[in-house]
Amino acid sequence: MSLDVPDLDRVVREIADEMRARPDRGEVATYIPELAGADARAFGLVVIDAEGRIAAGGDSDEPFSIQSISKVFTLTLALGMAGDRLWRRVGREPSGSPFNSIVQLERERGIPRNPFINAGAIAVTDLILSGHQPREAIGEILRFMQFLAQDSSIAIDEAVAASELRTGFRNMALAHYMKSFGVLDNPVDFTLGVYFHHCAISMSCRQLAQAGRFLAHSGRNPLTGLSVVSPERARRINAVMLTCGHYDGSGEFAYRVGLPGKSGVGGGILAIAPGKASIAVWSPGLDASGNSHLGRIALEMLTKRLGWSIFGA
Ligand code: GLN
């Protein structure tokens, strides 16, 4: 369904207004102390359609911690470096477990279920790090984000990275455990340093929606005209986002929203309407699975009103 711009603008603004007024906002993540100060009243939504038209509502230019949304981009980079060899060290099945779960790792001999749970993302980060110094790998990831969004102002929030370095004991356990199976090639501290830093990238909904456009358009970023990945790879990344992007909430997200999506504990979600749009939403309050509560509701309203679910109207 193609919409004229005023319609899309109106839908986005109406959803943003409605979301800003809702009392049920979920719980802001506190296990990373630096994230605990996020304003639960914040809400932003940006849709960028195939023609590059931007519909924005609420706090659409406010930077937030993208956290696990960065895992989409590290997966993209790692696939570029290793190709299908990547799938030797990480699976691509939904886990049905929380994002920081350790239980499956023992049974599956240190091979994480998918690249979006923390263990899987740490294994992907380790691959990107190989052959580099941590600082170089962090720079590479950050520059990739800046390139995709065509915005060199995108930066890492060092306070968030430091906060997670001090308190990320669960991730340290996951990484050491994988190291014991030989799944990580680099010193655990180096790999985690890079992981915490890419999770601490700060972006606004507008920047994030720009960065995701290649996934909506067969691997090509319409902003630059440059091909980021092949159409086949874009399709596959979208498939992993659909099945694994919301951890043990992935089934519910597919059921309600019907789009590939990736959440982060900062309250952001990047959602892809293939061929139609790249969508970023942000509301810091989370549901029990650690996914943005109002972000999911807003996306459900959006796809319903626009008929954008990949499963039909
Ligand atoms: N950096 C966070 C962590 O490792 C990312 C988790 C998330 O966004 N779901 O715990």
Side-chain angles (χ1 to χ4, degrees):
M1 181 197 286
S2 118
L3 280 179
D4 56 33
V5 189
D7 278 346
L8 184 59
D9 263 340
R10 185 169 41 76
V11 170
V12 165
R13 250 182 298 109
E14 282 173 9
I15 293 173
D17 289 346
E18 189 174 332
M19 290 300 118
R20 291 185 76 154
R22 277 178 79 131
D24 56 319
R25 306 193 77 80
E27 298 293 324
V28 172
T30 53
Y31 78 96
I32 301 173
E34 194 64 27
L35 294 183
D39 183 358
R41 290 165 306 179
F43 181 89
L45 175 61
V46 169
V47 180
I48 307 183
D49 74 6
E51 283 74 42
R53 292 175 298 210
I54 301 177
D59 305 306
S60 51
D61 288 307
E62 188 73 33
F64 59 89
S65 192
I66 67 168
Q67 291 296 322
S68 287
I69 304 171
S70 61
K71 297 170 182 174
V72 173
F73 302 97
T74 49
L75 173 64
T76 305
L77 270 179
L79 283 169
M81 290 170 171
D84 281 343
R85 272 189 299 120
L86 174 85
W87 302 115
R88 288 192 204 149
R89 64 162 83 190
V90 61
R92 46 174 189 265
E93 292 295 344
S95 68
S97 309
F99 65 86
N100 56 4
S101 170
I102 201 164
V103 289
Q104 281 163 351
L105 271 184
E106 180 166 25
R107 237 180 299 120
E108 296 171 7
R109 304 202 52 77
I111 305 290
R113 262 303 163 88
N114 67 64
F116 293 154
I117 51 173
N118 286 7
I122 292 167
V124 167
T125 300
D126 185 72
L127 195 146
I128 294 173
L129 174 58
S130 288
H132 297 88
Q133 291 302 314
R135 201 173 322 121
E136 294 166 350
I138 294 167
E140 182 123 344
I141 298 166
L142 182 62
R143 278 191 300 278
F144 186 52
M145 299 306 304
Q146 293 172 337
F147 164 71
L148 290 175
Q150 289 290 291
D151 189 336
S152 58
S153 73
I154 294 168
I156 290 172
D157 186 331
E158 288 294 341
V160 173
S163 183
E164 208 176 355
L165 266 168
R166 271 196 309 276
T167 58
F169 304 113
R170 177 78 73 115
N171 286 322
M172 293 171 205
L174 290 168
H176 281 281
Y177 199 56
M178 283 190 286
K179 182 82 177 169
S180 77
F181 285 102
V183 172
L184 303 185
D185 295 330
N186 298 284
V188 166
D189 289 354
F190 284 17
T191 302
L192 284 172
V194 178
Y195 171 77
F196 292 144
H197 276 83
H198 73 63
C199 286
I201 293 173
S202 264
M203 291 170 80
S204 67
C205 286
R206 191 183 300 265
Q207 291 167 328
L208 191 57
Q210 284 289 4
R213 289 186 76 200
F214 74 98
L215 291 170
H217 304 292
S218 305
R220 198 177 136 274
N221 186 347
L223 187 60
T224 57
L226 296 175
S227 167
V228 181
V229 295
S230 67
E232 181 180 56
R233 184 159 290 165
R235 172 168 57 75
R236 289 174 161 174
I237 294 169
N238 284 333
V240 183
M241 286 172 75
L242 181 80
T243 52
C244 311
H246 283 72
Y247 319 110
D248 46 342
S250 298
E252 185 71 4
F253 189 82
Y255 179 84
R256 292 190 175 275
V257 177
L259 295 179
K262 182 73 208 81
S263 66
V265 288
I269 300 175
L270 171 67
I272 302 300
K276 296 191 173 72
S278 174
I279 307 161
V281 64
W282 171 55
S283 174
L286 308 178
D287 64 19
S289 301
N291 302 314
S292 175
H293 176 66
L294 290 186
R296 200 266 295 146
I297 293 173
L299 289 171
E300 182 176 4
M301 290 171 70
L302 186 81
T303 51
K304 196 167 168 187
R305 287 181 64 173
L306 303 179
W308 276 2
S309 164
I310 61 170
F311 301 109

